[in-house]
Amino acid sequence: MRKLAILGASLLVLSSQPGFAQEASAPDGETASAAPMSASAAGSARLAPERRLTGDDLFDLSIAADPQISPDGRHIAYVRRSNDIMSDRAVSSIWLIDTTTGEETPVAGRSGGAFSPRWSPDGKRLAYVSTEGGSPQLWVRWMNGGEAVRLTGLPTSPSSLAWSPDGRSLAYSMLVKDAGPKFGSAPANKPEGANWAEPLEVRDLLTYRADGQGYVEPGFEKIFLVPATGGSPRQLTFGPYHDGGHLSWSRDGRTIYFAANRKPDWENDPVESEIYALDVAGGTITALTDRNGPDANPIVSPDGGKIAYLGFDDKLRAYENTQLYVMNRDGSGKRSLTANWDYGVDAILWAADGKSLYAQYDDHGETKVARIGLDGSVRTAATGLSGGGLDRPYTGGSFTVSDGGAIAFTGGTATRPAEVQLARGGSTRILTDLNRSLREVKSLGEVRKITVASSHDGKTIEGWLTLPPGYREGQRVPLILEIHGGPFQAYGGHFSTDNQLYAAGGYAVLSANPRGSTSYGAAFANEIDKTYPGNDYFDLISIVDRAIELGVADPNALFVTGGSGGGVLTSWIVGKTNRFKAAVTQKPVINWTTQALTADGSALFGPYWLGAQPWEKPELFWARSPLSLVGNVETPTLVIVGAEDYRTPVSESEQYYTALRLRGVPTALIKVPGASHGSIAARPSQSAAKASAILAWFEKYKKGWTRPATDAAGK
């Protein structure tokens, strides 16, 4: 199996999706688990099966992630994420598939969550991370005898596992905690048994809290080495820098390549990183790149002579296509293989012959794998990847490649969550059927692709229309415009629990990709550079009009919702038009000044998204803030946010809720307890409850709302 290198996103996005595909640390709450219990296991007193998707069904869902094909292509180890009704969480386990027979056997996860499987170079062992026994630790299983051994007893979770070429060692990265700053102290005369207050908390990092992590513990990510048969780990990198990310060994086992920002101002430059060569024996670190912009995810060629990597020139724009580069192992001869290919590369693998690379990318809402030659030639190697999450139809997925060129990947459809698939010899097979019980009973909404020319400038805008189950041609139904986050992300024809729950409630759901969306080229994405939100509004209204023109949407029953960047646009839309009967804005940015100074991307939002800091151009920040339009809002608008959201902080939603209340517009504020920005739909009960609340709000205001003539609050 060739080793995979991934660059998640060109720049920070507002949205943060659950990390199903390449998990670096223990999923929330994963400590121990027997077989996850589904909702259907309890049975029902109903007289007949419920044919439409319900909130209860979310506990019955599973999704495939991180498929790792063995070097000889005979087996695939993958992570199965199954929702558990008892813990109200997705539980991870590792399963093994025989690629010839399709037979599946469990590998790890019966006594604790297991994830990040990685084959040894000879394919005889499998390394992985497991929470068996409590905290996440590194384990190795000998595949012939089936014995598994815990290699480590680490204080924090290992990530970025990488076998040495001779199979004798495993490299990994891990957070090394630090004491952090201190100023002064409490009195020293604390009596024995006294119950004093907690000590003062001192923060001195620019990003002192991070979404999904909370308040950041002092410390730095460092690279370690541990014998593959057990023994004491050895720390390889030191200093006040984060040395995490993908690790790649030289063929002689003497060097580990990694990416980091090791410059003194690393906190203020969130995009920057260079590729470094680490001498394993001596600890010497040498920079191989030096440009302004991220160079990351190094991966050594099969013959050891070249290094492929991902990156782009930092032009202070909100979006850049991530390009695929190669250089000689000493850092000379750098060149881009995709400079004239208008797609962003998300993950790469060398082909066994060393003459080409496999690259994952998004194209018009679909995730694909291309084979890119060192001469710049491109051909499609796999299509239909998915796995960007369960709640909304984002692009995504992951893949690996055997020495013989077989591609294992996660792929699904608009009505089927991601399964493990295998592309080999010109054909593709689905190897798993993780949701067969649901598929055999449930009637899901059909999903159709639609396009329209934007009323703003004629640009083609694509969207996917999910119809209510049993929809009859020509029937007009209420329409929910559901807007994606990011904003530099993309929807596609992928499975979505939110959309199917809305459709089961009798609504058509429109998932559109307005300008700013990825997978349509850099120019299309940068249409909103320094002007977000803006003309994307016209794209969304145009595609709603198209759904009406097609005879599907009832023009008198329009509703709108969206999360993160979709929450921004929802709030912008109701400030621009009264066409929608009701709205639900989820985890929005309302005020760009407060967002830029309280979110976990403070070094990025001002310079990259608006081109200035708030005190430099306050009028620009206000002009792009949905709060500036709240005086126009006459649409009942529900506000939803995770109680521990640090990407679009809770205060953003609270500002909007308070402004709507002061104006007398019908509103309510829902906080999802314990939820971060990225995990607002991670727990099945909360995901179901959130969708139910949105439907209830739309039902309450299905006829809209008119301000009483005597009400002057809105003036």
Side-chain angles (χ1 to χ4, degrees):
M1 181 203 71
R2 323 257 35 114
K3 288 196 65 64
L4 181 72
I6 292 179
L7 184 63
S10 296
L11 297 177
L12 181 71
V13 293
L14 291 178
S15 288
S16 180
Q17 301 166 40
F20 293 136
Q22 295 283 332
E23 297 180 82
S25 59
D28 290 344
E30 224 162 77
T31 54
S33 63
M37 182 181 290
S38 66
S40 58
S44 171
R46 292 192 301 263
L47 297 178
E50 171 57 65
R51 296 295 181 183
R52 295 195 175 199
L53 192 73
T54 69
D56 291 344
D57 294 325
L58 270 57
F59 288 105
D60 293 337
L61 288 172
S62 296
I63 189 171
D66 199 6
Q68 299 288 318
I69 193 166
S70 60
D72 61 10
R74 294 174 59 189
H75 296 93
I76 299 169
Y78 77 97
V79 176
R80 181 186 295 185
R81 302 266 292 162
S82 301
N83 287 338
D84 174 32
I85 197 170
M86 298 305 293
S87 64
D88 193 20
R89 296 182 185 276
V91 176
S92 294
S93 58
I94 298 173
W95 288 71
L96 191 71
I97 305 173
D98 185 307
T99 59
T100 300
T101 66
E103 180 183 359
E104 290 194 61
T105 54
V107 173
R110 284 171 290 185
S111 301
F115 49 95
S116 297
R118 297 295 181 266
W119 290 99
S120 63
D122 61 7
K124 295 180 179 180
R125 290 165 292 169
L126 189 73
Y128 58 93
V129 179
S130 174
T131 60
E132 180 175 342
S135 61
Q137 300 296 333
L138 180 57
W139 291 66
V140 170
R141 177 177 290 277
W142 276 254
M143 301 307 288
N144 290 338
E147 288 294 323
V149 176
R150 193 179 90 170
L151 295 187
T152 60
L154 306 177
T156 59
S157 179
S159 61
S160 305
L161 311 185
W163 287 88
S164 62
D166 61 8
R168 297 180 61 193
S169 303
L170 276 157
Y172 62 92
S173 62
M174 183 190 76
L175 177 69
V176 176
K177 296 184 180 181
D178 189 22
K182 292 183 179 179
F183 298 99
S185 62
N189 61 337
K190 180 180 179 181
E192 184 177 350
N195 185 20
W196 285 18
E198 292 294 318
L200 304 182
E201 295 183 5
V202 181
R203 311 286 176 188
D204 68 347
L205 294 173
L206 176 59
T207 301
Y208 60 91
R209 59 185 186 181
D211 192 68
Q213 182 180 347
Y215 283 83
V216 176
E217 289 187 272
F220 294 94
E221 197 84 5
K222 292 298 162 190
I223 299 172
F224 289 78
L225 192 66
V226 66
T229 53
S232 299
R234 177 163 66 96
Q235 185 172 339
L236 299 181
T237 61
F238 301 85
Y241 317 102
H242 289 288
D243 299 326
H246 180 79
L247 307 178
S248 184
W249 288 79
S250 63
R251 290 294 169 248
D252 61 11
R254 297 178 179 179
T255 306
I256 295 175
Y257 300 95
F258 69 98
N261 185 345
R262 300 186 121 241
K263 298 179 180 178
D265 67 341
W266 61 269
E267 287 189 78
N268 296 300
D269 197 351
V271 176
E272 180 66 21
S273 65
E274 306 296 351
I275 292 174
Y276 293 91
L278 165 66
D279 182 272
V280 174
T284 303
I285 296 176
T286 304
L288 300 183
T289 60
D290 60 0
R291 68 157 160 197
N292 180 28
D295 293 310
N297 307 95
I299 181 168
V300 177
S301 63
D303 66 3
K306 292 183 172 58
I307 299 172
Y309 61 101
L310 301 177
F312 55 82
D313 293 326
D314 185 0
K315 301 175 183 177
L316 287 175
R317 296 194 299 186
Y319 175 83
E320 299 291 347
N321 275 342
T322 301
Q323 295 186 39
L324 167 59
Y325 294 83
V326 292
M327 62 180 171
N328 297 324
R329 64 183 176 186
D330 62 358
S332 64
K334 300 177 182 70
R335 61 191 179 97
S336 172
L337 301 183
T338 58
N340 299 316
W341 194 57
D342 199 13
Y343 298 101
V345 180
D346 297 320
I348 53 173
L349 284 169
W350 279 98
D353 61 8
K355 297 179 180 179
S356 60
L357 291 108
Y358 294 92
Q360 181 174 318
Y361 67 103
D362 289 346
D363 178 14
H364 287 68
E366 183 180 357
T367 303
K368 303 176 179 179
V369 176
R371 188 163 180 172
I372 301 176
L374 294 181
D375 60 359
S377 60
V378 179
R379 66 178 178 86
T380 302
T383 61
L385 277 72
S386 66
L390 279 173
D391 60 320
R392 294 194 281 167
Y394 283 110
T395 57
S398 59
F399 79 101
T400 52
V401 185
S402 73
D403 291 343
I407 303 174
F409 64 93
T410 55
T413 68
T415 55
R416 186 171 181 174
E419 307 276 7
V420 177
Q421 300 193 35
L422 180 68
R424 180 163 56 187
S427 63
T428 299
R429 288 190 296 142
I430 300 175
L431 300 181
T432 58
D433 196 356
L434 301 182
N435 298 285
R436 180 164 58 95
S437 296
L438 277 179
R439 286 198 306 108
E440 291 176 346
V441 173
K442 296 296 175 178
S443 175
L444 299 177
E446 176 193 350
V447 178
R448 300 177 181 176
K449 185 176 182 179
I450 66 173
T451 61
V452 71
S454 173
S455 64
H456 175 66
D457 55 9
K459 281 187 171 57
T460 300
I461 306 301
E462 296 183 337
W464 286 262
L465 199 56
T466 304
L467 303 173
Y471 175 80
R472 300 189 310 275
E473 211 62 47
Q475 177 187 10
R476 288 198 180 272
V477 294
L479 177 77
I480 297 174
L481 172 62
E482 205 285 316
I483 310 169
H484 73 65
F488 303 104
Q489 290 183 306
Y491 277 161
H494 309 287
F495 183 78
S496 162
T497 54
D498 277 4
N499 287 5
Q500 291 294 343
L501 287 171
Y502 301 152
Y507 294 83
V509 187
L510 180 54
S511 304
N513 285 337
R515 68 192 64 210
S517 301
T518 55
S519 77
Y520 299 91
F524 188 83
N526 277 311
E527 282 281 329
I528 62 171
D529 181 38
K530 313 300 184 293
T531 59
Y532 170 71
N535 294 329
D536 36 6
Y537 165 81
F538 299 103
D539 303 339
L540 293 168
I541 296 301
S542 296
I543 203 161
V544 167
D545 288 338
R546 178 59 177 160
I548 294 171
E549 180 185 323
L550 290 171
V552 174
D554 182 346
N556 298 311
L558 303 178
F559 303 86
V560 60
T561 188
S564 190
V568 174
L569 284 166
T570 297
S571 305
W572 190 259
I573 284 171
V574 296
K576 290 280 191 178
T577 181
N578 296 331
R579 288 184 64 182
F580 296 88
K581 298 296 184 183
V584 180
T585 182
Q586 305 175 54
K587 49 185 182 181
V589 174
I590 294 303
N591 182 335
W592 281 110
T593 295
T594 52
Q595 168 71 14
L597 299 178
T598 62
D600 64 355
S602 297
L604 187 138
F605 290 121
Y608 286 88
W609 287 26
L610 289 112
Q613 296 291 4
W615 53 88
E616 296 170 338
K617 293 185 178 180
E619 68 287 347
L620 170 63
F621 279 70
W622 181 247
R624 294 297 167 189
S625 297
L627 191 59
S628 70
L629 302 178
V630 74
N632 302 333
V633 178
E634 297 293 328
T635 303
T637 303
L638 177 66
V639 183
I640 300 178
V641 67
E644 297 178 13
D645 190 331
Y646 298 129
R647 179 62 46 81
T648 56
V650 177
S651 57
E652 293 296 306
S653 293
E654 291 173 334
Q655 288 181 71
Y656 200 55
Y657 165 72
T658 300
L660 292 170
R661 287 285 284 117
L662 289 172
R663 288 209 58 251
V665 176
T667 187
L669 175 65
I670 293 178
K671 291 185 180 180
V672 182
S676 66
H677 191 86
S679 70
I680 195 169
R683 304 193 70 171
S685 71
Q686 292 180 337
S687 182
K690 181 171 72 72
S692 178
I694 291 170
L695 288 173
W697 185 260
F698 290 160
E699 177 64 23
K700 181 175 181 178
Y701 292 102
K702 62 184 178 182
K703 297 186 182 300
W705 172 79
T706 302
R707 184 184 297 277
T710 57
D711 181 6
K715 296 182 180 179

